[in-house]
Amino acid sequence: QKEVEQDPGPLSVPEGAIVSLNCTYSNSAFQYFMWYRQYSRKGPELLMYTYSSGNKEDGRFTAQVDKSSKYISLFIRDSQPSDSATYLCAMRNDYKLSFGAGTTVTVRA
Amino acid sequence: DAGVIQSPRHEVTEMGQEVTLRCKPISGHNSLFWYRQTMMRGLELLIYFNNNVPIDDSGMPEDRFSAKMPNASFSTLKIQPSEPRDSAVYFCASSARRGGVSYNEQFFGPGTRLTVL
């Protein structure tokens, strides 16, 4: 079993829809929870990170962490075609990041 | 700041050849990471340097892989001899670590797409 499980999709939604992404994990030592966005043929870039259970908002993006269930989510409101990318969840223990497989999202205009 | 710089961006080589990938981290960052990304295995950490010293090389798949960081502004990942199963995108990332505490953001370079025929 992988440390981090993420449904690879793909996910296709119309412009303006809410995109919902999630990951589960098995390692209780993970301290920080992150979401990276990766455009085609580019390196991943950090979108959001959280430390504790609960919600964190940044513009159209909301990250949720439920440590008791070992479950994290990312919601994208009012999705735009420019949000089309692969979204990777990542979890950190000290310096080490463990990544999910990534979910490919396409937002149709 | 130019961000993390990697070269070459693309490399096509034949099985058995030596391949050297290069990385220049962001100035002032003292942690450097090499990752490999494939469809089958996703993004995997190969090796981690802190202050130019290799701290964790447990992700290096075989002895054919080696990495060096001779100074704070340059690192190489070498594969010798290369094999078709080494075909992947190799990313370098850097971040800051101060007083034993890692900062969250690892800045990734654009990657080197390696194809071994």
Side-chain angles (χ1 to χ4, degrees), chain A residues 32 38 41 43-44 46 49 92 94-95 97 99, chain B residues 37 48 56 91 97 102 104-106 108-109 113:
Chain A
Y32 292 89
Q38 185 175 20
R41 297 186 177 264
L46 182 65
Y49 76 88
R92 183 161 81 77
D94 191 13
Y95 60 84
L97 286 180
F99 286 87
Chain B
Q37 187 175 40
Y48 160 56
D56 181 356
F91 289 102
R97 185 180 173 100
S102 292
N104 274 310
E105 184 152 16
Q106 290 185 17
F108 283 75
R113 186 171 295 270

mmCIF file with all atom_site columns, all heavy atoms in Angstrom, chain A residues 32 38 41 43-44 46 49 92 94-95 97 99, chain B residues 37 48 56 91 97 102 104-106 108-109 113:
data_model
loop_
_atom_site.group_PDB
_atom_site.id
_atom_site.type_symbol
_atom_site.label_atom_id
_atom_site.label_alt_id
_atom_site.label_comp_id
_atom_site.label_asym_id
_atom_site.label_entity_id
_atom_site.label_seq_id
_atom_site.pdbx_PDB_ins_code
_atom_site.Cartn_x
_atom_site.Cartn_y
_atom_site.Cartn_z
_atom_site.occupancy
_atom_site.B_iso_or_equiv
_atom_site.pdbx_formal_charge
_atom_site.auth_seq_id
_atom_site.auth_comp_id
_atom_site.auth_asym_id
_atom_site.auth_atom_id
_atom_site.pdbx_PDB_model_num
ATOM 1   N N   . TYR A 1 32  ? 2.926  18.282 7.655   1.00 0.00 ? 32  TYR A N   1
ATOM 2   C CA  . TYR A 1 32  ? 2.411  19.334 6.786   1.00 0.00 ? 32  TYR A CA  1
ATOM 3   C C   . TYR A 1 32  ? 1.750  18.702 5.573   1.00 0.00 ? 32  TYR A C   1
ATOM 4   O O   . TYR A 1 32  ? 2.210  17.668 5.082   1.00 0.00 ? 32  TYR A O   1
ATOM 5   C CB  . TYR A 1 32  ? 3.537  20.270 6.318   1.00 0.00 ? 32  TYR A CB  1
ATOM 6   C CG  . TYR A 1 32  ? 4.123  21.108 7.424   1.00 0.00 ? 32  TYR A CG  1
ATOM 7   C CD1 . TYR A 1 32  ? 5.194  20.641 8.179   1.00 0.00 ? 32  TYR A CD1 1
ATOM 8   C CD2 . TYR A 1 32  ? 3.609  22.367 7.720   1.00 0.00 ? 32  TYR A CD2 1
ATOM 9   C CE1 . TYR A 1 32  ? 5.725  21.407 9.204   1.00 0.00 ? 32  TYR A CE1 1
ATOM 10  C CE2 . TYR A 1 32  ? 4.133  23.138 8.735   1.00 0.00 ? 32  TYR A CE2 1
ATOM 11  C CZ  . TYR A 1 32  ? 5.191  22.643 9.471   1.00 0.00 ? 32  TYR A CZ  1
ATOM 12  O OH  . TYR A 1 32  ? 5.714  23.408 10.484  1.00 0.00 ? 32  TYR A OH  1
ATOM 13  N N   . GLN A 1 38  ? 0.736  21.291 -11.296 1.00 0.00 ? 38  GLN A N   1
ATOM 14  C CA  . GLN A 1 38  ? 1.752  21.050 -12.317 1.00 0.00 ? 38  GLN A CA  1
ATOM 15  C C   . GLN A 1 38  ? 1.119  21.187 -13.699 1.00 0.00 ? 38  GLN A C   1
ATOM 16  O O   . GLN A 1 38  ? 0.264  20.385 -14.078 1.00 0.00 ? 38  GLN A O   1
ATOM 17  C CB  . GLN A 1 38  ? 2.376  19.655 -12.153 1.00 0.00 ? 38  GLN A CB  1
ATOM 18  C CG  . GLN A 1 38  ? 3.523  19.387 -13.105 1.00 0.00 ? 38  GLN A CG  1
ATOM 19  C CD  . GLN A 1 38  ? 4.211  18.052 -12.851 1.00 0.00 ? 38  GLN A CD  1
ATOM 20  O OE1 . GLN A 1 38  ? 3.652  17.156 -12.228 1.00 0.00 ? 38  GLN A OE1 1
ATOM 21  N NE2 . GLN A 1 38  ? 5.428  17.909 -13.338 1.00 0.00 ? 38  GLN A NE2 1
ATOM 22  N N   . ARG A 1 41  ? 4.400  19.718 -18.861 1.00 0.00 ? 41  ARG A N   1
ATOM 23  C CA  . ARG A 1 41  ? 5.826  19.913 -19.161 1.00 0.00 ? 41  ARG A CA  1
ATOM 24  C C   . ARG A 1 41  ? 6.457  21.023 -18.313 1.00 0.00 ? 41  ARG A C   1
ATOM 25  O O   . ARG A 1 41  ? 7.406  21.691 -18.756 1.00 0.00 ? 41  ARG A O   1
ATOM 26  C CB  . ARG A 1 41  ? 6.040  20.165 -20.650 1.00 0.00 ? 41  ARG A CB  1
ATOM 27  C CG  . ARG A 1 41  ? 5.615  18.960 -21.477 1.00 0.00 ? 41  ARG A CG  1
ATOM 28  C CD  . ARG A 1 41  ? 5.940  19.081 -22.934 1.00 0.00 ? 41  ARG A CD  1
ATOM 29  N NE  . ARG A 1 41  ? 5.557  17.861 -23.635 1.00 0.00 ? 41  ARG A NE  1
ATOM 30  C CZ  . ARG A 1 41  ? 6.398  16.870 -23.911 1.00 0.00 ? 41  ARG A CZ  1
ATOM 31  N NH1 . ARG A 1 41  ? 7.663  16.961 -23.587 1.00 0.00 ? 41  ARG A NH1 1
ATOM 32  N NH2 . ARG A 1 41  ? 5.987  15.789 -24.530 1.00 0.00 ? 41  ARG A NH2 1
ATOM 33  N N   . GLY A 1 43  ? 7.501  22.117 -13.963 1.00 0.00 ? 43  GLY A N   1
ATOM 34  C CA  . GLY A 1 43  ? 7.699  21.580 -12.631 1.00 0.00 ? 43  GLY A CA  1
ATOM 35  C C   . GLY A 1 43  ? 6.517  21.891 -11.730 1.00 0.00 ? 43  GLY A C   1
ATOM 36  O O   . GLY A 1 43  ? 5.757  22.830 -11.974 1.00 0.00 ? 43  GLY A O   1
ATOM 37  N N   . PRO A 1 44  ? 6.316  21.102 -10.680 1.00 0.00 ? 44  PRO A N   1
ATOM 38  C CA  . PRO A 1 44  ? 5.231  21.391 -9.724  1.00 0.00 ? 44  PRO A CA  1
ATOM 39  C C   . PRO A 1 44  ? 5.472  22.721 -9.013  1.00 0.00 ? 44  PRO A C   1
ATOM 40  O O   . PRO A 1 44  ? 6.612  23.091 -8.745  1.00 0.00 ? 44  PRO A O   1
ATOM 41  C CB  . PRO A 1 44  ? 5.318  20.225 -8.722  1.00 0.00 ? 44  PRO A CB  1
ATOM 42  C CG  . PRO A 1 44  ? 6.114  19.153 -9.419  1.00 0.00 ? 44  PRO A CG  1
ATOM 43  C CD  . PRO A 1 44  ? 7.052  19.876 -10.326 1.00 0.00 ? 44  PRO A CD  1
ATOM 44  N N   . LEU A 1 46  ? 3.934  25.053 -5.625  1.00 0.00 ? 46  LEU A N   1
ATOM 45  C CA  . LEU A 1 46  ? 3.126  24.940 -4.409  1.00 0.00 ? 46  LEU A CA  1
ATOM 46  C C   . LEU A 1 46  ? 1.912  25.867 -4.491  1.00 0.00 ? 46  LEU A C   1
ATOM 47  O O   . LEU A 1 46  ? 2.037  27.057 -4.735  1.00 0.00 ? 46  LEU A O   1
ATOM 48  C CB  . LEU A 1 46  ? 3.967  25.296 -3.187  1.00 0.00 ? 46  LEU A CB  1
ATOM 49  C CG  . LEU A 1 46  ? 3.267  25.184 -1.834  1.00 0.00 ? 46  LEU A CG  1
ATOM 50  C CD1 . LEU A 1 46  ? 2.896  23.733 -1.545  1.00 0.00 ? 46  LEU A CD1 1
ATOM 51  C CD2 . LEU A 1 46  ? 4.149  25.736 -0.730  1.00 0.00 ? 46  LEU A CD2 1
ATOM 52  N N   . TYR A 1 49  ? -0.570 25.076 1.621   1.00 0.00 ? 49  TYR A N   1
ATOM 53  C CA  . TYR A 1 49  ? -0.145 24.101 2.617   1.00 0.00 ? 49  TYR A CA  1
ATOM 54  C C   . TYR A 1 49  ? -0.881 24.363 3.923   1.00 0.00 ? 49  TYR A C   1
ATOM 55  O O   . TYR A 1 49  ? -1.247 25.501 4.240   1.00 0.00 ? 49  TYR A O   1
ATOM 56  C CB  . TYR A 1 49  ? 1.360  24.112 2.826   1.00 0.00 ? 49  TYR A CB  1
ATOM 57  C CG  . TYR A 1 49  ? 1.899  25.268 3.631   1.00 0.00 ? 49  TYR A CG  1
ATOM 58  C CD1 . TYR A 1 49  ? 1.990  25.210 5.017   1.00 0.00 ? 49  TYR A CD1 1
ATOM 59  C CD2 . TYR A 1 49  ? 2.344  26.420 3.001   1.00 0.00 ? 49  TYR A CD2 1
ATOM 60  C CE1 . TYR A 1 49  ? 2.490  26.269 5.747   1.00 0.00 ? 49  TYR A CE1 1
ATOM 61  C CE2 . TYR A 1 49  ? 2.838  27.481 3.715   1.00 0.00 ? 49  TYR A CE2 1
ATOM 62  C CZ  . TYR A 1 49  ? 2.923  27.403 5.083   1.00 0.00 ? 49  TYR A CZ  1
ATOM 63  O OH  . TYR A 1 49  ? 3.422  28.458 5.799   1.00 0.00 ? 49  TYR A OH  1
ATOM 64  N N   . ARG A 1 92  ? 4.451  16.150 4.232   1.00 0.00 ? 92  ARG A N   1
ATOM 65  C CA  . ARG A 1 92  ? 5.849  16.306 4.629   1.00 0.00 ? 92  ARG A CA  1
ATOM 66  C C   . ARG A 1 92  ? 6.097  15.803 6.042   1.00 0.00 ? 92  ARG A C   1
ATOM 67  O O   . ARG A 1 92  ? 5.340  16.088 6.971   1.00 0.00 ? 92  ARG A O   1
ATOM 68  C CB  . ARG A 1 92  ? 6.260  17.765 4.514   1.00 0.00 ? 92  ARG A CB  1
ATOM 69  C CG  . ARG A 1 92  ? 7.722  18.016 4.833   1.00 0.00 ? 92  ARG A CG  1
ATOM 70  C CD  . ARG A 1 92  ? 8.187  19.354 4.282   1.00 0.00 ? 92  ARG A CD  1
ATOM 71  N NE  . ARG A 1 92  ? 7.817  20.477 5.126   1.00 0.00 ? 92  ARG A NE  1
ATOM 72  C CZ  . ARG A 1 92  ? 8.412  20.824 6.267   1.00 0.00 ? 92  ARG A CZ  1
ATOM 73  N NH1 . ARG A 1 92  ? 9.385  20.091 6.747   1.00 0.00 ? 92  ARG A NH1 1
ATOM 74  N NH2 . ARG A 1 92  ? 8.016  21.881 6.927   1.00 0.00 ? 92  ARG A NH2 1
ATOM 75  N N   . ASP A 1 94  ? 9.444  16.131 8.280   1.00 0.00 ? 94  ASP A N   1
ATOM 76  C CA  . ASP A 1 94  ? 10.760 16.783 8.282   1.00 0.00 ? 94  ASP A CA  1
ATOM 77  C C   . ASP A 1 94  ? 11.026 17.322 6.871   1.00 0.00 ? 94  ASP A C   1
ATOM 78  O O   . ASP A 1 94  ? 10.256 18.115 6.366   1.00 0.00 ? 94  ASP A O   1
ATOM 79  C CB  . ASP A 1 94  ? 11.841 15.827 8.756   1.00 0.00 ? 94  ASP A CB  1
ATOM 80  C CG  . ASP A 1 94  ? 13.158 16.546 9.024   1.00 0.00 ? 94  ASP A CG  1
ATOM 81  O OD1 . ASP A 1 94  ? 13.163 17.784 9.075   1.00 0.00 ? 94  ASP A OD1 1
ATOM 82  O OD2 . ASP A 1 94  ? 14.195 15.877 9.176   1.00 0.00 ? 94  ASP A OD2 1
ATOM 83  N N   . TYR A 1 95  ? 12.085 16.874 6.211   1.00 0.00 ? 95  TYR A N   1
ATOM 84  C CA  . TYR A 1 95  ? 12.406 17.421 4.896   1.00 0.00 ? 95  TYR A CA  1
ATOM 85  C C   . TYR A 1 95  ? 11.724 16.661 3.762   1.00 0.00 ? 95  TYR A C   1
ATOM 86  O O   . TYR A 1 95  ? 11.679 17.116 2.626   1.00 0.00 ? 95  TYR A O   1
ATOM 87  C CB  . TYR A 1 95  ? 13.923 17.375 4.666   1.00 0.00 ? 95  TYR A CB  1
ATOM 88  C CG  . TYR A 1 95  ? 14.488 15.975 4.720   1.00 0.00 ? 95  TYR A CG  1
ATOM 89  C CD1 . TYR A 1 95  ? 14.465 15.154 3.605   1.00 0.00 ? 95  TYR A CD1 1
ATOM 90  C CD2 . TYR A 1 95  ? 14.998 15.465 5.905   1.00 0.00 ? 95  TYR A CD2 1
ATOM 91  C CE1 . TYR A 1 95  ? 14.939 13.862 3.655   1.00 0.00 ? 95  TYR A CE1 1
ATOM 92  C CE2 . TYR A 1 95  ? 15.474 14.169 5.965   1.00 0.00 ? 95  TYR A CE2 1
ATOM 93  C CZ  . TYR A 1 95  ? 15.453 13.369 4.841   1.00 0.00 ? 95  TYR A CZ  1
ATOM 94  O OH  . TYR A 1 95  ? 15.910 12.086 4.900   1.00 0.00 ? 95  TYR A OH  1
ATOM 95  N N   . LEU A 1 97  ? 9.146  14.993 1.281   1.00 0.00 ? 97  LEU A N   1
ATOM 96  C CA  . LEU A 1 97  ? 7.802  15.081 0.717   1.00 0.00 ? 97  LEU A CA  1
ATOM 97  C C   . LEU A 1 97  ? 7.415  13.743 0.099   1.00 0.00 ? 97  LEU A C   1
ATOM 98  O O   . LEU A 1 97  ? 8.200  13.157 -0.649  1.00 0.00 ? 97  LEU A O   1
ATOM 99  C CB  . LEU A 1 97  ? 7.745  16.148 -0.377  1.00 0.00 ? 97  LEU A CB  1
ATOM 100 C CG  . LEU A 1 97  ? 7.773  17.615 0.024   1.00 0.00 ? 97  LEU A CG  1
ATOM 101 C CD1 . LEU A 1 97  ? 7.707  18.489 -1.206  1.00 0.00 ? 97  LEU A CD1 1
ATOM 102 C CD2 . LEU A 1 97  ? 6.645  17.950 0.964   1.00 0.00 ? 97  LEU A CD2 1
ATOM 103 N N   . PHE A 1 99  ? 4.479  12.285 -2.348  1.00 0.00 ? 99  PHE A N   1
ATOM 104 C CA  . PHE A 1 99  ? 3.479  12.804 -3.269  1.00 0.00 ? 99  PHE A CA  1
ATOM 105 C C   . PHE A 1 99  ? 2.428  11.760 -3.617  1.00 0.00 ? 99  PHE A C   1
ATOM 106 O O   . PHE A 1 99  ? 2.725  10.552 -3.697  1.00 0.00 ? 99  PHE A O   1
ATOM 107 C CB  . PHE A 1 99  ? 4.138  13.254 -4.581  1.00 0.00 ? 99  PHE A CB  1
ATOM 108 C CG  . PHE A 1 99  ? 4.900  14.532 -4.470  1.00 0.00 ? 99  PHE A CG  1
ATOM 109 C CD1 . PHE A 1 99  ? 6.228  14.542 -4.074  1.00 0.00 ? 99  PHE A CD1 1
ATOM 110 C CD2 . PHE A 1 99  ? 4.297  15.739 -4.780  1.00 0.00 ? 99  PHE A CD2 1
ATOM 111 C CE1 . PHE A 1 99  ? 6.941  15.728 -3.988  1.00 0.00 ? 99  PHE A CE1 1
ATOM 112 C CE2 . PHE A 1 99  ? 4.998  16.928 -4.690  1.00 0.00 ? 99  PHE A CE2 1
ATOM 113 C CZ  . PHE A 1 99  ? 6.321  16.916 -4.296  1.00 0.00 ? 99  PHE A CZ  1
ATOM 114 N N   . GLN B 2 37  ? 10.154 11.595 -11.987 1.00 0.00 ? 37  GLN B N   1
ATOM 115 C CA  . GLN B 2 37  ? 8.707  11.473 -12.187 1.00 0.00 ? 37  GLN B CA  1
ATOM 116 C C   . GLN B 2 37  ? 8.435  10.569 -13.378 1.00 0.00 ? 37  GLN B C   1
ATOM 117 O O   . GLN B 2 37  ? 8.920  10.800 -14.483 1.00 0.00 ? 37  GLN B O   1
ATOM 118 C CB  . GLN B 2 37  ? 8.058  12.850 -12.426 1.00 0.00 ? 37  GLN B CB  1
ATOM 119 C CG  . GLN B 2 37  ? 6.544  12.798 -12.474 1.00 0.00 ? 37  GLN B CG  1
ATOM 120 C CD  . GLN B 2 37  ? 5.907  14.179 -12.586 1.00 0.00 ? 37  GLN B CD  1
ATOM 121 O OE1 . GLN B 2 37  ? 6.392  15.053 -13.294 1.00 0.00 ? 37  GLN B OE1 1
ATOM 122 N NE2 . GLN B 2 37  ? 4.808  14.397 -11.852 1.00 0.00 ? 37  GLN B NE2 1
ATOM 123 N N   . TYR B 2 48  ? 18.697 13.927 -1.229  1.00 0.00 ? 48  TYR B N   1
ATOM 124 C CA  . TYR B 2 48  ? 18.532 15.218 -0.568  1.00 0.00 ? 48  TYR B CA  1
ATOM 125 C C   . TYR B 2 48  ? 19.887 15.691 -0.045  1.00 0.00 ? 48  TYR B C   1
ATOM 126 O O   . TYR B 2 48  ? 20.587 14.935 0.632   1.00 0.00 ? 48  TYR B O   1
ATOM 127 C CB  . TYR B 2 48  ? 17.531 15.067 0.569   1.00 0.00 ? 48  TYR B CB  1
ATOM 128 C CG  . TYR B 2 48  ? 17.573 16.122 1.656   1.00 0.00 ? 48  TYR B CG  1
ATOM 129 C CD1 . TYR B 2 48  ? 17.435 17.468 1.344   1.00 0.00 ? 48  TYR B CD1 1
ATOM 130 C CD2 . TYR B 2 48  ? 17.731 15.760 2.997   1.00 0.00 ? 48  TYR B CD2 1
ATOM 131 C CE1 . TYR B 2 48  ? 17.460 18.427 2.340   1.00 0.00 ? 48  TYR B CE1 1
ATOM 132 C CE2 . TYR B 2 48  ? 17.759 16.719 3.991   1.00 0.00 ? 48  TYR B CE2 1
ATOM 133 C CZ  . TYR B 2 48  ? 17.626 18.047 3.671   1.00 0.00 ? 48  TYR B CZ  1
ATOM 134 O OH  . TYR B 2 48  ? 17.649 19.003 4.648   1.00 0.00 ? 48  TYR B OH  1
ATOM 135 N N   . ASP B 2 56  ? 20.283 12.157 2.575   1.00 0.00 ? 56  ASP B N   1
ATOM 136 C CA  . ASP B 2 56  ? 19.427 10.999 2.374   1.00 0.00 ? 56  ASP B CA  1
ATOM 137 C C   . ASP B 2 56  ? 19.502 10.598 0.907   1.00 0.00 ? 56  ASP B C   1
ATOM 138 O O   . ASP B 2 56  ? 19.007 11.318 0.050   1.00 0.00 ? 56  ASP B O   1
ATOM 139 C CB  . ASP B 2 56  ? 17.990 11.325 2.785   1.00 0.00 ? 56  ASP B CB  1
ATOM 140 C CG  . ASP B 2 56  ? 17.040 10.136 2.631   1.00 0.00 ? 56  ASP B CG  1
ATOM 141 O OD1 . ASP B 2 56  ? 17.475 9.072  2.142   1.00 0.00 ? 56  ASP B OD1 1
ATOM 142 O OD2 . ASP B 2 56  ? 15.859 10.280 2.998   1.00 0.00 ? 56  ASP B OD2 1
ATOM 143 N N   . PHE B 2 91  ? 13.540 16.081 -11.877 1.00 0.00 ? 91  PHE B N   1
ATOM 144 C CA  . PHE B 2 91  ? 13.392 17.433 -11.350 1.00 0.00 ? 91  PHE B CA  1
ATOM 145 C C   . PHE B 2 91  ? 14.410 17.684 -10.246 1.00 0.00 ? 91  PHE B C   1
ATOM 146 O O   . PHE B 2 91  ? 14.715 16.810 -9.440  1.00 0.00 ? 91  PHE B O   1
ATOM 147 C CB  . PHE B 2 91  ? 11.992 17.645 -10.760 1.00 0.00 ? 91  PHE B CB  1
ATOM 148 C CG  . PHE B 2 91  ? 10.887 17.719 -11.766 1.00 0.00 ? 91  PHE B CG  1
ATOM 149 C CD1 . PHE B 2 91  ? 10.047 16.639 -11.988 1.00 0.00 ? 91  PHE B CD1 1
ATOM 150 C CD2 . PHE B 2 91  ? 10.678 18.880 -12.493 1.00 0.00 ? 91  PHE B CD2 1
ATOM 151 C CE1 . PHE B 2 91  ? 9.024  16.706 -12.918 1.00 0.00 ? 91  PHE B CE1 1
ATOM 152 C CE2 . PHE B 2 91  ? 9.651  18.960 -13.432 1.00 0.00 ? 91  PHE B CE2 1
ATOM 153 C CZ  . PHE B 2 91  ? 8.826  17.866 -13.636 1.00 0.00 ? 91  PHE B CZ  1
ATOM 154 N N   . ARG B 2 97  ? 16.503 25.877 4.720   1.00 0.00 ? 97  ARG B N   1
ATOM 155 C CA  . ARG B 2 97  ? 16.408 25.182 6.007   1.00 0.00 ? 97  ARG B CA  1
ATOM 156 C C   . ARG B 2 97  ? 17.242 25.977 6.990   1.00 0.00 ? 97  ARG B C   1
ATOM 157 O O   . ARG B 2 97  ? 18.429 26.204 6.760   1.00 0.00 ? 97  ARG B O   1
ATOM 158 C CB  . ARG B 2 97  ? 16.913 23.745 5.897   1.00 0.00 ? 97  ARG B CB  1
ATOM 159 C CG  . ARG B 2 97  ? 16.729 22.927 7.167   1.00 0.00 ? 97  ARG B CG  1
ATOM 160 C CD  . ARG B 2 97  ? 17.249 21.498 6.974   1.00 0.00 ? 97  ARG B CD  1
ATOM 161 N NE  . ARG B 2 97  ? 17.239 20.726 8.189   1.00 0.00 ? 97  ARG B NE  1
ATOM 162 C CZ  . ARG B 2 97  ? 16.302 19.832 8.527   1.00 0.00 ? 97  ARG B CZ  1
ATOM 163 N NH1 . ARG B 2 97  ? 15.302 19.606 7.707   1.00 0.00 ? 97  ARG B NH1 1
ATOM 164 N NH2 . ARG B 2 97  ? 16.361 19.175 9.653   1.00 0.00 ? 97  ARG B NH2 1
ATOM 165 N N   . SER B 2 102 ? 12.903 22.834 8.362   1.00 0.00 ? 102 SER B N   1
ATOM 166 C CA  . SER B 2 102 ? 12.710 22.940 6.917   1.00 0.00 ? 102 SER B CA  1
ATOM 167 C C   . SER B 2 102 ? 11.568 23.891 6.612   1.00 0.00 ? 102 SER B C   1
ATOM 168 O O   . SER B 2 102 ? 10.537 23.862 7.280   1.00 0.00 ? 102 SER B O   1
ATOM 169 C CB  . SER B 2 102 ? 12.386 21.572 6.328   1.00 0.00 ? 102 SER B CB  1
ATOM 170 O OG  . SER B 2 102 ? 13.473 20.707 6.401   1.00 0.00 ? 102 SER B OG  1
ATOM 171 N N   . ASN B 2 104 ? 8.532  25.104 4.134   1.00 0.00 ? 104 ASN B N   1
ATOM 172 C CA  . ASN B 2 104 ? 7.599  24.253 3.408   1.00 0.00 ? 104 ASN B CA  1
ATOM 173 C C   . ASN B 2 104 ? 7.798  24.250 1.911   1.00 0.00 ? 104 ASN B C   1
ATOM 174 O O   . ASN B 2 104 ? 7.614  23.241 1.260   1.00 0.00 ? 104 ASN B O   1
ATOM 175 C CB  . ASN B 2 104 ? 6.163  24.663 3.716   1.00 0.00 ? 104 ASN B CB  1
ATOM 176 C CG  . ASN B 2 104 ? 5.661  23.986 4.962   1.00 0.00 ? 104 ASN B CG  1
ATOM 177 O OD1 . ASN B 2 104 ? 5.772  22.788 5.108   1.00 0.00 ? 104 ASN B OD1 1
ATOM 178 N ND2 . ASN B 2 104 ? 5.123  24.757 5.874   1.00 0.00 ? 104 ASN B ND2 1
ATOM 179 N N   . GLU B 2 105 ? 8.137  25.390 1.375   1.00 0.00 ? 105 GLU B N   1
ATOM 180 C CA  . GLU B 2 105 ? 8.088  25.441 -0.070  1.00 0.00 ? 105 GLU B CA  1
ATOM 181 C C   . GLU B 2 105 ? 9.369  24.934 -0.699  1.00 0.00 ? 105 GLU B C   1
ATOM 182 O O   . GLU B 2 105 ? 10.455 25.458 -0.439  1.00 0.00 ? 105 GLU B O   1
ATOM 183 C CB  . GLU B 2 105 ? 7.809  26.863 -0.561  1.00 0.00 ? 105 GLU B CB  1
ATOM 184 C CG  . GLU B 2 105 ? 7.652  26.918 -2.083  1.00 0.00 ? 105 GLU B CG  1
ATOM 185 C CD  . GLU B 2 105 ? 6.756  28.034 -2.559  1.00 0.00 ? 105 GLU B CD  1
ATOM 186 O OE1 . GLU B 2 105 ? 6.493  28.962 -1.771  1.00 0.00 ? 105 GLU B OE1 1
ATOM 187 O OE2 . GLU B 2 105 ? 6.319  27.972 -3.713  1.00 0.00 ? 105 GLU B OE2 1
ATOM 188 N N   . GLN B 2 106 ? 9.228  23.895 -1.485  1.00 0.00 ? 106 GLN B N   1
ATOM 189 C CA  . GLN B 2 106 ? 10.311 23.455 -2.345  1.00 0.00 ? 106 GLN B CA  1
ATOM 190 C C   . GLN B 2 106 ? 10.019 24.017 -3.727  1.00 0.00 ? 106 GLN B C   1
ATOM 191 O O   . GLN B 2 106 ? 8.948  23.792 -4.275  1.00 0.00 ? 106 GLN B O   1
ATOM 192 C CB  . GLN B 2 106 ? 10.390 21.927 -2.403  1.00 0.00 ? 106 GLN B CB  1
ATOM 193 C CG  . GLN B 2 106 ? 10.857 21.283 -1.116  1.00 0.00 ? 106 GLN B CG  1
ATOM 194 C CD  . GLN B 2 106 ? 11.038 19.773 -1.235  1.00 0.00 ? 106 GLN B CD  1
ATOM 195 O OE1 . GLN B 2 106 ? 11.122 19.234 -2.336  1.00 0.00 ? 106 GLN B OE1 1
ATOM 196 N NE2 . GLN B 2 106 ? 11.118 19.104 -0.100  1.00 0.00 ? 106 GLN B NE2 1
ATOM 197 N N   . PHE B 2 108 ? 10.582 23.962 -7.560  1.00 0.00 ? 108 PHE B N   1
ATOM 198 C CA  . PHE B 2 108 ? 11.004 22.987 -8.551  1.00 0.00 ? 108 PHE B CA  1
ATOM 199 C C   . PHE B 2 108 ? 11.518 23.679 -9.812  1.00 0.00 ? 108 PHE B C   1
ATOM 200 O O   . PHE B 2 108 ? 10.990 24.717 -10.237 1.00 0.00 ? 108 PHE B O   1
ATOM 201 C CB  . PHE B 2 108 ? 9.842  22.074 -8.926  1.00 0.00 ? 108 PHE B CB  1
ATOM 202 C CG  . PHE B 2 108 ? 9.545  21.015 -7.915  1.00 0.00 ? 108 PHE B CG  1
ATOM 203 C CD1 . PHE B 2 108 ? 8.898  21.316 -6.723  1.00 0.00 ? 108 PHE B CD1 1
ATOM 204 C CD2 . PHE B 2 108 ? 9.924  19.704 -8.143  1.00 0.00 ? 108 PHE B CD2 1
ATOM 205 C CE1 . PHE B 2 108 ? 8.630  20.337 -5.781  1.00 0.00 ? 108 PHE B CE1 1
ATOM 206 C CE2 . PHE B 2 108 ? 9.650  18.711 -7.199  1.00 0.00 ? 108 PHE B CE2 1
ATOM 207 C CZ  . PHE B 2 108 ? 9.010  19.029 -6.023  1.00 0.00 ? 108 PHE B CZ  1
ATOM 208 N N   . GLY B 2 109 ? 12.514 23.056 -10.417 1.00 0.00 ? 109 GLY B N   1
ATOM 209 C CA  . GLY B 2 109 ? 12.964 23.488 -11.728 1.00 0.00 ? 109 GLY B CA  1
ATOM 210 C C   . GLY B 2 109 ? 12.036 22.946 -12.804 1.00 0.00 ? 109 GLY B C   1
ATOM 211 O O   . GLY B 2 109 ? 11.078 22.224 -12.509 1.00 0.00 ? 109 GLY B O   1
ATOM 212 N N   . ARG B 2 113 ? 13.792 16.064 -19.355 1.00 0.00 ? 113 ARG B N   1
ATOM 213 C CA  . ARG B 2 113 ? 13.086 14.888 -19.891 1.00 0.00 ? 113 ARG B CA  1
ATOM 214 C C   . ARG B 2 113 ? 14.119 13.982 -20.526 1.00 0.00 ? 113 ARG B C   1
ATOM 215 O O   . ARG B 2 113 ? 14.716 14.326 -21.541 1.00 0.00 ? 113 ARG B O   1
ATOM 216 C CB  . ARG B 2 113 ? 12.035 15.326 -20.892 1.00 0.00 ? 113 ARG B CB  1
ATOM 217 C CG  . ARG B 2 113 ? 11.139 14.212 -21.410 1.00 0.00 ? 113 ARG B CG  1
ATOM 218 C CD  . ARG B 2 113 ? 9.983  14.782 -22.225 1.00 0.00 ? 113 ARG B CD  1
ATOM 219 N NE  . ARG B 2 113 ? 9.103  15.591 -21.406 1.00 0.00 ? 113 ARG B NE  1
ATOM 220 C CZ  . ARG B 2 113 ? 8.037  15.143 -20.749 1.00 0.00 ? 113 ARG B CZ  1
ATOM 221 N NH1 . ARG B 2 113 ? 7.716  13.870 -20.832 1.00 0.00 ? 113 ARG B NH1 1
ATOM 222 N NH2 . ARG B 2 113 ? 7.286  15.961 -20.042 1.00 0.00 ? 113 ARG B NH2 1
#
